[in-house]
Every structure is written in structure tokens, then in C-alpha cells.
Amino acid sequence: MRLQRRIGLIGLTFIALSGMLGSGWLFAPHLVAQQAGPAALVSWIIGGAVMLLLALTFAEVTAMLPVAGGLARVPYFSHGPLAGVAMGWTAWVGYATTAPIEVLAMMRYLDTYLPFAHEPGGQSLTLAGQVFVIALLALMVLINAWGVAFFTRINTGITWLKLAVPLVVAGAILTVQFEGANLATPSFSPGGWVGILGGVSTGGVIFAFIGFRHAIDMAGETRNPQRTIPLALIGSVILCGGIYGLAQLAYLGGVPADKLSQGWAAISFKHDYGPFAAIGIGLGMTWLIAVIFAGAVVAPFGGGLVSTASNARLALALGEGGLFPRAIAALSPRGVPLNGLIFNLAVGAVMVFVMSFEALVTLNGAAIVLSFLAGPVALVALRRQAPDLPRLFRLPMADALSAAAFVGATWTLYWSGWNTTWVLLVALTAGVILFLAMRARRRRRGAGGGSDRLAADLYGRTDRVVLSGQFRRRARPDPLRLGPCGRRRPGRAVLSPRASRSPAGRGGGPRTGG
């Protein structure tokens, strides 16, 4: 059974957008403005540019290697199994926490309508509340299990609503009241570059964009991937940046002038639905509350739905790579990794019962940020290892832009803070131990990995495959022999132009499963 290439340009773009546009837009403009004042607009431009660089590097690599679970597969192809495990495992851990986090966020907004879900006077879930959360997680699994085409249609409908809500809210505030003088109170950049960069890091700008990664993991089910993937990745980051910028402008112009007497850092709004709800009430637009509430409930569900899909593809990749049991990589008759969906649901259910919301958020942030390092490094490596592979999208000035993107990725990791970094180190250690244990078990049983078959299907050849960060020769070596990073090495061969003609861009994903 093959993965079904049923996701088009709109579908893949909306998968990335759904990952980026959560309920965070309700609070991020306020937090960034506290740091940077009106120069928060510059913070969004800088953060968007950094993430666009990362998206550009992934656009070339993922379009060239359109496989499911790309965050695990791409570093595997360029640097070998240990790199693939490090990136794939940490991304999987982060994704495993995303859906529970999104559902728990929904429950907080629905507290008034679900009084049975929380303990009286607190945010702790009751047993009935935990069961309700697991039921919502199971609904996300059911939607995904029905097939990638059905999932894409549902997600596209949800994402249209997620796009409409911030545009309606921002447009209403800008139309009813926009205090242009606020942009110079007390000055455009009261905190200078320290405040601007603080808004990018601790204000949450950089983390508002990380959801584009979902398009990378769904690449194995994308039609015409060499065209669709770059357009979806680049377009979603630019569109999301525009929406966040518009929301930031509406916030800056909508804050009442009397609240600026103590400066932007002292502004506070006491409303459960965030500062935009408070501004709307102050302007007499009480109807905005209903709009914001709808967005605050639907947005987390959409984010959880997309992360459920992405994490199943990561589980598939890790099953093929030997970290998880091979059965997890098997596909259902509908062409989806059903065993991976069920496995991830079980893990998420355990997390709901044993971990607090704050612990889930910390683990999520720690696990996801590392995976962004793979894009720029893999691009440079594969330019040298596989120069003849077809690249419809080819990043110009690749070395310079990849270096800049790598710096941006390390900034993201640094800005996460030590509380996040030490959790990441623990997760990495656990992943390496699990990888070594599973590899030793497979060697004792004499079982090989699924990588040869996957790569052979990907390139349409059985005589040469991409394996362990280098191109392994099986027959008819090419004259040019390159090892990792372009160093000449005896016995190694790159794909010839004839051998590198991939059917991936013409439909038909890699074979997966047992």
C-alpha cells in the first residue's frame, strides 16, 4: 500500500497555516508591544524573515525528497541514522504533546459551558474532563484515519475560519478607531534594539511561525511536490506574517491613549479572551466577543488536528528507520498510518493523565526547536552529495542563506531558555538510548531496515539508493565518487542524471509498511 498523493497547493498551504495560526494571535501582539512598543512591527518583520529563511531551505530539500515525516527523513538522508533519530525523535516528542496542549487550551475557553470538566475554583481537570479531552483527541484521530483527502477538506474549512477571525477583529478595530499618535508614544522604539529583539524572542514572534513544519511532514502525500511544497512553505509564512502584522497594527492603534501614560510595558488587560476582547468592549463592539470566542475554540482544534496528522507521519518514518516497531509504519487500506495514529493517541492519553498543562508546554517547546537545524545543514550537504538530483526549486546563494538560516535556528534554540534546553537534552538522551537498543535488537534478529526499499521507491531505481548520509553504490558506479559533504571517497557514487529521474513529482509516494 502506498501513501496517497492527494494534497494540492491550497491543502498543503492551509496545513502550514493551521499550524501557525492558533489562539496565540490573541496575546502575542500585546506581549511583543510590551517589549518593543510600536516597533513591535519591526519585531514581526525580523522574526518572519528568520523563519522564511528556514522555510526556504526546507523548500528545496523537501521538494527534492518528498517523503512522509520529512523532519526525520531529511537529516537521515543527508547525515545518517543517528541524525535522523535525533531530529525525528525530538520532533515526535514535541508533536505528541501538541494535540493534548491544544485540546486543554480549548477546555479552558469552554470552562463556562463544561462545568464538569474542571475542579471547582481551579484549572485542574476532573476525571470526566480528562475523558472528554481524550474523546476530542480520538475525534482528531478518526478524521485523519478516514483518509488524507478527507482530512485535507476538514482542515481547509477550519483554516478558512482561522484566517477570517483575526482579519475581522483587526479590520473592525482599525475601522472604528485607530490612534495614529500611539505609534509615536513615547517614541516609535522606546526600548531600542534591545526591545525589538526581545519582542522577537521572549515576546513570542519566532514561535508564532514554527507551525509551517507540518507541511514538511505531509510532503509524502503532496501532488506535484517539486512545485507545491516550495509554494506552500513560502506562501504560508508570508501570509501568516501579514496577518500577524495586521493584528499587531490593530492592537497598537486600538489601545486607549490613557493606558499609555505609564508606557507600553505597563499595559495590562484583564479579560479571559485577551486584549483584543478588552479593546473591543471598550469601543462598544461587544459582538467581537462572540467572534473571538469562536476563533479561540476552533483554532486549537485545527492545530491539534494538523499535529495529529504530522505526528503519525513522523511515527511512520521512525518505524521505517528502526526506532519504533515496524508495525507502526504500516498503512491502512485508506493509505494512512493508522497504527501510528493509534499509538500516538495512546501516548497523548497518558500525557493527559500524568502531566500538567505547564509541563506539556515546556516539553513541547524543548522538543520542536531542534528539528529546524536540519533544513539548512541538509541543503548544503545534499548539494554536494547529490548535485544531479532534479531540483525544480533551487535556492540561490545557498551557502550564505543556509548559514543565516542555521544561525536563526540556533537563536530559536537559545531563546527557548535553559528550562527548555535541559528538557531537550534529556529527551535526546532517551531517544539515543532507545535507538541503540532497537538497533541491537534488530541485529540480533538479523532484520534490516526499510530504508533501502523506501529510497529505491523514491528514486524509481533498485540499483542505487540514498542511505546513511551518502550514496551507496550497488552496480555500475558513476565516474564521480563522493562521500559525505562532497569529499571524494573510493567505492562511493552519486546518482547519475539518468538514475536520479524521480517519479515522486509525477505521483505515487514511497512504499511504506511491512
Side-chain angles (χ1 to χ4, degrees), residues 101 357-367 419-420 422-423:
I101 287 171
F357 181 80
E358 292 73 17
L360 286 170
V361 170
T362 299
L363 182 58
N364 178 271
N419 288 337
T420 294
W422 79 263
V423 174

Side-chain angles (χ1 to χ4, degrees), residues 388 459 461 463-464 476 478 495-502:
D388 295 323
Y459 296 111
R461 302 278 293 190
D463 58 346
R464 297 182 182 92
R476 300 190 305 276
D478 293 338
L495 291 174
S496 65
R498 183 169 63 90
S500 64
R501 294 192 184 102
S502 168

Side-chain angles (χ1 to χ4, degrees), residues 107-496:
M107 297 295 288
R108 294 192 175 191
Y109 288 114
L110 292 170
D111 188 34
T112 303
Y113 303 94
L114 300 173
F116 64 86
H118 292 94
E119 299 288 351
Q123 293 292 336
S124 299
L125 289 174
T126 62
L127 178 60
Q130 291 173 326
V131 172
F132 190 80
V133 167
I134 294 172
L136 288 175
L137 294 175
L139 176 61
M140 295 175 183
V141 169
L142 181 63
I143 292 173
N144 275 279
W146 205 257
V148 69
F150 180 73
F151 154 75
T152 303
R153 288 195 295 271
I154 295 295
N155 178 69
T156 299
I158 292 174
T159 306
W160 277 120
L161 180 60
K162 293 173 70 171
L163 286 170
V165 170
L167 290 175
V168 168
V169 172
I173 294 175
L174 288 170
T175 302
V176 173
Q177 172 174 309
F178 180 75
E179 297 289 347
N182 287 358
L183 299 181
T185 304
S187 65
F188 178 73
S189 182
W193 282 107
V194 173
I196 291 172
L197 295 178
V200 176
S201 56
T202 58
V205 169
I206 206 76
F207 297 101
F209 289 95
I210 63 176
F212 79 81
R213 67 193 184 275
H214 295 297
I216 300 168
D217 291 309
M218 302 298 293
E221 290 148 285
T222 302
R223 295 194 303 267
N224 192 12
Q226 290 211 353
R227 171 183 174 272
T228 299
I229 294 171
L231 289 176
L233 285 173
I234 297 168
S236 62
V237 172
I238 293 174
L239 182 57
C240 186
I243 292 173
Y244 275 114
L246 186 65
Q248 184 68 69
L249 184 63
Y251 174 82
L252 294 172
V255 172
D258 60 301
K259 282 188 169 291
L260 296 176
S261 58
Q262 301 297 320
W264 290 94
I267 295 177
S268 64
F269 293 96
K270 295 182 179 179
H271 197 286
D272 290 341
Y273 297 160
F276 285 106
I279 292 173
I281 291 175
L283 297 176
M285 296 185 294
T286 54
W287 58 271
L288 274 184
I289 303 300
V291 176
I292 292 173
F293 175 77
V297 172
V298 172
F301 184 85
L305 182 66
V306 168
S307 68
T308 299
S310 294
N311 208 28
R313 276 67 185 179
L314 270 176
L316 181 152
L318 293 174
E320 283 284 354
L323 184 66
F324 289 168
R326 179 66 58 80
I328 290 179
L331 297 181
S332 73
R334 293 184 178 271
V336 297
L338 181 60
N339 291 348
L341 286 167
I342 295 173
F343 174 70
N344 292 339
L345 174 62
V347 172
V350 171
M351 288 180 172
V352 169
F353 278 105
V354 304
M355 297 181 68
S356 67
F357 181 80
E358 292 73 17
L360 286 170
V361 170
T362 299
L363 182 58
N364 178 271
I368 288 175
V369 293
L370 183 68
S371 59
F372 285 108
L373 297 171
V377 174
L379 186 149
V380 173
L382 289 172
R383 281 283 185 96
R384 289 156 174 77
Q385 294 171 358
D388 295 323
L389 283 182
R391 292 169 171 85
L392 185 62
F393 174 78
R394 192 176 184 91
L395 183 65
M397 300 185 297
D399 287 349
L401 292 181
S402 294
F406 183 82
V407 171
T410 56
W411 281 352
T412 304
L413 186 61
Y414 173 73
W415 286 334
S416 301
W418 172 245
N419 288 337
T420 294
T421 304
W422 79 263
V423 174
L424 173 61
L425 293 174
V426 172
L428 269 175
T429 303
V432 170
I433 293 173
L434 179 60
F435 168 71
L436 294 175
M438 290 296 292
R439 189 165 74 166
R441 178 173 176 268
R442 287 186 177 233
R443 283 181 173 177
R444 286 195 302 269
R445 295 174 58 185
S451 307
D452 283 18
R453 183 175 68 256
L454 176 70
D457 280 342
L458 180 63
Y459 296 111
R461 302 278 293 190
T462 57
D463 58 346
R464 297 182 182 92
V465 296
V466 179
L467 183 61
S468 303
Q470 57 201 1
F471 291 91
R472 177 172 295 174
R473 176 175 59 84
R474 289 193 173 180
R476 300 190 305 276
D478 293 338
L480 181 62
R481 304 172 184 271
L482 297 178
C485 302
R487 294 189 297 271
R488 292 184 178 274
R489 180 174 296 177
R492 305 295 182 187
V494 298
L495 291 174
S496 65

